[in-house]
Amino acid sequence: MARPAAAPEKVKILLVDDNEDNLISLEAALEVLREDLILARSGREALRELLEHDFAAILLDVKMPEMDGFETAELIRARKRSEHTPILFLTGYRNEEHLFRGYDLGAVDFLFKPIVPEVLRSKVAVFVELSRSAQRQKAQAEVLAKAEQKFRTLLDAAPDAMLITKEDGEIVLANSRTDGMFGYSRADVLGQNIRELIPDWTLVATTDARELRAVRRDGSQFPAEISASPLLTEEGLLITSAVRDISERKRAEERIEERNRQLAALNLELEAFSYSVSHDLRAPLRSVEGFAKILQRDYTGQVLDETANEHLQRMRSAAGRMGDLIEDLLELSRVSRAELSIEAVDISRVAADIIQELRHRDPERHVDVIIEPGMTAKADPRLISVVLGNLLGNAWKFTSKISDAHIEFKREHTDEEADAFCICDNGAGFDPAFADKLFAPFQRLHRVSEFEGTGVGLAIVQRVIQRHNGRIWARGTPGEGATFRFTLARESRAA
């Protein structure tokens, strides 16, 4: 429903006459206009009213005691606030000298008594409408002035240099950022062509930023990002160009490129080191293990006694552990450098395959395993398989010494972050005081004689989870099992 239009504000009309009957007649004739009629019974009283109010028109009797209408009009015109207020003189007789004097004082009309009400109303109505029009123009001018001031304030607050130009490139307005960026004062910039500051500037009907060369007052150049916004106005097409000095950003990009080149070189060195570790270190270990195996096979019971055989067995075990350690370190290096290939992964299916492989390797074990169906995530399939292989493998290993082994893999919903995937077991557990050491390489909370391993697996797990923008943490109690929880970033989860 449309709101009713607000009634226009009443304008004030001053009626000045020393005769009370005349004032009543004027008031009665003008009452139909529904304006604010103010009565004054002398020139001095009229001047007092003018100190407090502005009037659309003044009806002024010529013949009054003490101060006549002409003297009053002269004082009214002497005040700047009322020098242009329309004055209509009221008089009872025609006199050429009075007419000349009245018009000389700025009178807009003479009304002769007896006054015809219709004529009076029509003349006063004209000045009422003129006053309203002037008020509207004044209000519009104030709104425009405030809008312009707000625009200039916003322009000066902009972080970029803002240049407003005509279609031919002549600068008509600039903000304060222009001074520091180009070395010109705003007064110097106005009237210049923007191409003196940005030689390759062209009018392009797009707000997409372009990278152009800019020139300071001293002739030095710097890279700038320019975006232009055209606006059609009554004065013609104006273009607002936002200019941003991107020198620091370019230097940062160059530093990043140099750092990337250095990282690429380091990666090549790391690749060479990995190759050396893989081939040059494992080859001697294989030789040691192979010759120890030959000695055990060919000389046990002949030259080698039980003690020597035990030493050879320890050599083979140590060489095997060293080989496993080297393989785990290489795996840690690979997962740290491998490029991620994110896709939807059926987490439940991957876990089931891993458990099936563990059962195949250890068919004598009877472990109760529960895997929540339907768990999915967006992740790198190979790396997530590495994570689950280590975590489920640990749960399988650390429950090997109990008869009623139980492993559960499920998802827990949380409000704070992405849903957590949870692997629980009732195995050996660990002392919670040492939980912060679990994910550091080579840190073991159990002796090798109790449970085999290199102490690198959980470090690999943590590295993979971090690369997926998630986190992993664990809780455990000695003899009561352990629980490992990990999250993947929200954007990596399946819907």
Side-chain angles (χ1 to χ4, degrees):
M1 182 177 178
R3 296 176 62 185
E9 187 178 350
K10 291 183 178 182
V11 300
K12 292 180 171 56
I13 302 170
L14 181 60
L15 310 178
V16 187
D17 199 311
D18 63 314
N19 188 302
E20 191 69 28
D21 292 337
N22 290 341
L23 280 177
I24 293 173
S25 298
L26 291 172
E27 187 176 24
L30 297 175
E31 195 172 32
V32 70
L33 297 179
R34 299 182 182 278
E35 305 298 342
D36 192 0
L37 304 177
I38 295 180
L39 311 182
R41 292 160 181 78
S42 67
R44 295 187 185 280
E45 191 175 339
L47 293 175
R48 283 196 296 271
E49 295 292 346
L50 282 162
L51 291 174
E52 299 181 11
H53 307 290
D54 292 321
F55 294 94
I58 300 174
L59 277 64
L60 184 58
D61 185 32
V62 171
K63 190 176 181 181
M64 292 186 296
E66 295 184 10
M67 182 186 298
D68 65 19
F70 296 128
E71 293 173 322
T72 304
E74 191 170 1
L75 292 173
I76 290 173
R77 288 287 180 256
R79 295 179 66 251
K80 188 171 184 64
R81 184 173 171 180
S82 58
E83 62 180 342
H84 298 299
T85 304
I87 298 176
L88 290 84
F89 281 112
L90 309 176
T91 182
Y93 59 95
R94 294 179 179 273
N95 183 301
E96 294 294 331
E97 181 180 350
H98 282 184
L99 289 176
F100 284 124
R101 187 178 178 190
Y103 286 124
D104 187 52
L105 289 171
V108 296
D109 206 349
F110 271 85
L111 294 174
F112 297 97
K113 300 176 182 179
I115 296 172
V116 180
E118 291 79 5
V119 174
L120 176 64
R121 282 195 295 271
S122 64
K123 289 181 179 289
V124 172
V126 170
F127 296 109
V128 168
E129 185 56 36
L130 287 174
S131 177
R132 284 218 169 87
S133 177
Q135 288 178 356
R136 286 194 294 268
Q137 290 178 358
K138 182 180 179 181
Q140 290 173 352
E142 290 176 352
V143 170
L144 288 174
K146 289 180 180 178
E148 182 178 358
Q149 181 59 40
K150 185 176 181 180
F151 172 72
R152 289 181 179 273
T153 301
L154 290 173
L155 201 65
D156 275 338
D160 302 325
M162 306 295 291
L163 299 168
I164 299 180
T165 65
K166 295 180 181 178
E167 191 171 0
D168 61 0
E170 180 188 347
I171 299 172
V172 297
L173 190 63
N175 70 346
S176 57
R177 284 284 296 135
T178 307
D179 308 1
M181 186 175 294
F182 291 97
Y184 292 93
S185 67
R186 275 185 283 185
D188 292 336
V189 166
L190 297 181
Q192 285 192 46
N193 193 292
I194 193 173
R195 293 178 181 85
E196 296 179 33
L197 307 178
I198 307 166
D200 299 326
W201 182 90
T202 55
L203 176 57
V204 179
T206 177
T207 56
D208 293 338
R210 295 176 294 155
E211 189 175 319
L212 298 175
R213 173 176 54 94
V215 182
R216 299 186 182 89
R217 186 171 189 169
D218 60 7
S220 60
Q221 300 182 5
F222 63 94
E225 198 172 67
I226 318 293
S227 57
S229 302
L231 177 65
L232 191 60
T233 68
E234 294 180 356
E235 291 77 19
L237 185 66
L238 295 179
I239 302 96
T240 301
S241 295
V243 185
R244 176 170 297 179
D245 185 348
I246 58 173
S247 300
E248 185 57 38
R249 191 177 81 190
K250 298 294 286 185
R251 286 191 288 269
E253 289 174 355
E254 291 173 0
R255 289 195 295 269
I256 290 172
E257 289 178 4
E258 177 60 27
R259 187 62 58 84
N260 285 338
R261 286 192 291 269
Q262 294 173 357
L263 287 175
L266 288 173
N267 280 333
L268 289 175
E269 292 180 9
L270 188 57
E271 290 283 356
F273 174 74
S274 298
Y275 180 85
S276 176
V277 169
S278 178
H279 294 81
D280 298 344
L281 291 183
R282 285 199 292 188
L285 284 174
R286 283 195 296 268
S287 296
V288 170
E289 186 179 11
F291 282 115
K293 184 177 181 181
I294 291 172
L295 287 173
Q296 278 187 308
R297 184 189 65 198
D298 296 343
Y299 294 95
T300 299
Q302 302 177 23
V303 178
L304 300 178
D305 58 14
E306 185 177 346
T307 302
N309 187 56
E310 184 179 347
H311 290 335
L312 287 173
Q313 183 59 41
R314 288 184 178 180
M315 287 173 58
R316 291 184 62 189
S317 298
R321 286 197 302 274
M322 187 64 179
D324 292 341
L325 181 58
I326 291 172
E327 186 59 43
D328 285 347
L329 287 174
L330 290 173
E331 181 65 16
L332 180 60
S333 174
R334 281 193 290 267
V335 300
S336 299
R337 294 181 289 108
E339 184 177 349
L340 293 181
S341 177
I342 302 298
E343 59 184 73
V345 180
D346 187 338
I347 299 290
S348 298
R349 178 64 178 272
V350 174
D353 291 343
I354 292 170
I355 292 297
Q356 185 177 0
E357 177 63 24
L358 290 171
R359 291 190 190 278
H360 179 74
R361 290 184 201 169
D362 198 357
E364 301 300 323
R365 294 271 318 269
H366 296 283
V367 182
D368 179 24
V369 180
I370 299 175
I371 299 175
E372 179 181 328
M375 293 187 292
T376 59
K378 285 192 174 181
D380 184 293
R382 188 185 71 82
L383 294 183
I384 286 300
S385 181
V386 170
V387 168
L388 295 180
N390 274 283
L391 294 178
L392 291 171
N394 280 353
W396 187 272
K397 176 172 62 177
F398 289 110
T399 56
S400 61
K401 298 184 183 302
I402 59 175
S403 57
D404 58 341
H406 177 81
I407 299 172
E408 184 177 4
F409 181 29
K410 60 184 179 180
R411 180 169 46 194
E412 294 181 345
H413 297 284
T414 63
D415 296 329
E416 294 77 12
E417 55 185 323
D419 292 350
F421 295 98
C422 177
I423 296 177
C424 314
D425 68 66
N426 63 342
F430 60 87
D431 188 341
F434 302 106
D436 57 333
K437 295 183 178 181
L438 279 174
F439 303 101
F442 313 119
Q443 295 292 330
R444 294 179 50 85
L445 303 186
H446 301 87
R447 292 190 299 272
V448 175
S449 59
E450 292 181 305
F451 299 99
E452 63 179 9
T454 62
V456 180
L458 288 179
I460 294 174
V461 169
Q462 185 184 55
R463 190 69 55 86
V464 173
I465 296 298
Q466 287 174 343
R467 294 202 62 195
H468 283 76
N469 297 321
R471 72 183 187 98
I472 183 168
W473 66 102
R475 291 178 182 171
T477 303
E480 297 182 13
T483 299
F484 285 81
R485 292 180 175 85
F486 68 90
T487 64
L488 303 173
R490 282 192 180 275
E491 60 269 21
S492 296
R493 285 193 301 150

